[in-house]
Amino acid sequence: DETVVIDINTVDNGTENGTQTATTTILDDDATPTVTLSVVSTTINESGSPTTTLVRATLSAESNLSVTVTLTKTGTALEGSDYSLPGTIVIPALNISASVTLAATNDSAAEEDETVVINITGVTNGSENGTQTATTTIVSEDVPDAPTGLAITYDIKKFDFNWTASSNGATSYDLYEALNGIDFTKIKAVTGTTTALEIAVHIHPWSLAKYKVKGCVKVTQCGTLFSADVNTANAMLQATGYLKAT
């Protein structure tokens, strides 16, 4: 609410009766503004442009008062290690909106794309328009390093493979095979660092065949670095010894 105070300044052909003052109050009957939340871009990149976006709070109408919007952040991305974002948005008096910057943090970890989910938990001098949620996805461009220590052992009618995980992370691995020892082809995707491959011993070209693995974080985002090749000759010779012993 606001007041109008009226005083007599001068009087022509008369005098003021003491000190005259009249006051009127103008009642503010405008509704309290409501706040909506949005992001300028729903996708940003960890390293390639754009790496930032604006998180915007918008009022339903201008206010004579400053409006403060308090935010909470959830999602699969971790604040601090994956992104930075202020916890409040302040809309100055007589402004309709204000924004803060959501910035991705670049790291070397090979990881899935992650989300930042932003909600309103409080509004000073206003109210939330229903339930407001804004989401941005942070796209990771990093790919896994080469796995190490690939080894093959022979079991009954199969090869068992194991290796050491990529040092910067991987969610799956692709196993490649070269039956002629030269031309590699992907034969399976593996979750974890072990797998098995059934073989027909009498037709498998074990004296030539080689295998290698590489790490992935998405179907379309795999590393370009492979583990060292390993051949099956030693495993098969061990198997032959095992068969003779039995």
Side-chain angles (χ1 to χ4, degrees), residues 143-159:
V143 295
D145 294 333
T148 58
L150 176 62
I152 305 176
T153 56
Y154 181 76
D155 202 345
I156 299 174
K157 295 183 180 180
K158 67 176 183 176
F159 287 131

Side-chain angles (χ1 to χ4, degrees), residues 1-68:
D1 298 343
E2 299 170 308
T3 57
V4 180
V5 181
I6 309 160
D7 296 303
I8 294 176
N9 186 23
T10 60
V11 179
D12 292 334
N13 301 319
T15 59
E16 181 179 4
N17 183 4
T19 300
Q20 295 294 309
T21 299
T23 302
T24 294
T25 298
I26 301 173
L27 298 178
D28 184 2
D29 56 358
D30 293 330
T32 301
T34 59
V35 180
T36 57
L37 194 65
S38 62
V39 289
V40 172
S41 176
T42 57
T43 301
I44 59 176
N45 298 310
E46 189 176 276
S47 56
S49 180
T51 59
T52 64
T53 186
L54 294 177
V55 180
R56 180 169 295 150
T58 303
L59 299 179
S60 57
E62 288 184 1
S63 174
N64 290 322
L65 302 173
S66 173
V67 177
T68 300

Side-chain angles (χ1 to χ4, degrees), residues 57 65-71 86-93 95 97-100:
L65 302 173
S66 173
V67 177
T68 300
V69 182
T70 302
L71 307 173
T88 58
I89 301 175
V90 178
I91 305 173
N95 282 261
S97 67
S99 302
V100 291

Side-chain angles (χ1 to χ4, degrees), residues 72-140:
T72 57
K73 290 89 78 174
T74 57
T76 57
L78 298 177
E79 186 175 11
S81 59
D82 293 318
Y83 70 93
S84 61
L85 176 66
T88 58
I89 301 175
V90 178
I91 305 173
L94 302 179
N95 282 261
I96 200 69
S97 67
S99 302
V100 291
T101 299
L102 166 61
T105 301
N106 188 20
D107 58 33
S108 61
E111 54 196 356
E112 297 276 4
D113 296 345
E114 298 172 311
T115 58
V116 182
V117 181
I118 309 157
N119 296 283
I120 294 175
T121 55
V123 180
T124 303
N125 298 323
S127 61
E128 183 178 5
N129 184 4
T131 300
Q132 294 292 309
T133 300
T135 302
T136 290
T137 299
I138 301 174
V139 177
S140 174

Side-chain angles (χ1 to χ4, degrees), residues 2 30 142 187 211 224 230:
E2 299 170 308
D30 293 330
D142 295 309
I187 57 172
Y211 294 86
T224 58
V230 293

